[in-house]
Amino acid sequence: AYIDYYKALGVDKNATQDDIKKAFRKLARKYRPDLILTTLRPKIKFQEINEANEVLSDPEKRKK
């Protein structure tokens, strides 16, 4: 399944590395699974934003 990493982090395709880092940190704090124990959804969202950060923070992977 296709995941739009830019949409997952809530950033524009022209976002800088700093913008990506800030967006990831903000969302990571919000969906941190060890702080939110109510449902499985935050854990899935956390994994999604973590994957998006891994791809978008690496310039080579971002080009692909």
Side-chain angles (χ1 to χ4, degrees), residues 1-55:
Y2 173 75
I3 299 172
D4 186 358
Y5 295 129
Y6 295 100
K7 185 177 178 183
L9 290 179
V11 295
D12 188 31
K13 291 187 187 249
N14 298 325
T16 64
Q17 292 294 336
D18 286 336
D19 293 338
I20 292 169
K21 185 187 288 187
K22 286 177 189 176
F24 169 71
R25 288 184 176 175
K26 181 180 176 183
L27 290 171
R29 268 187 262 125
K30 182 177 180 180
Y31 292 106
R32 216 170 122 182
D34 58 335
L35 295 178
I36 304 172
L37 301 174
T38 57
T39 64
L40 185 61
R41 188 161 192 260
K43 185 180 278 188
I44 294 169
K45 181 68 175 173
F46 185 79
Q47 290 172 344
E48 182 180 310
I49 62 172
N50 199 22
E51 180 181 342
N53 182 57
E54 286 181 26
V55 172

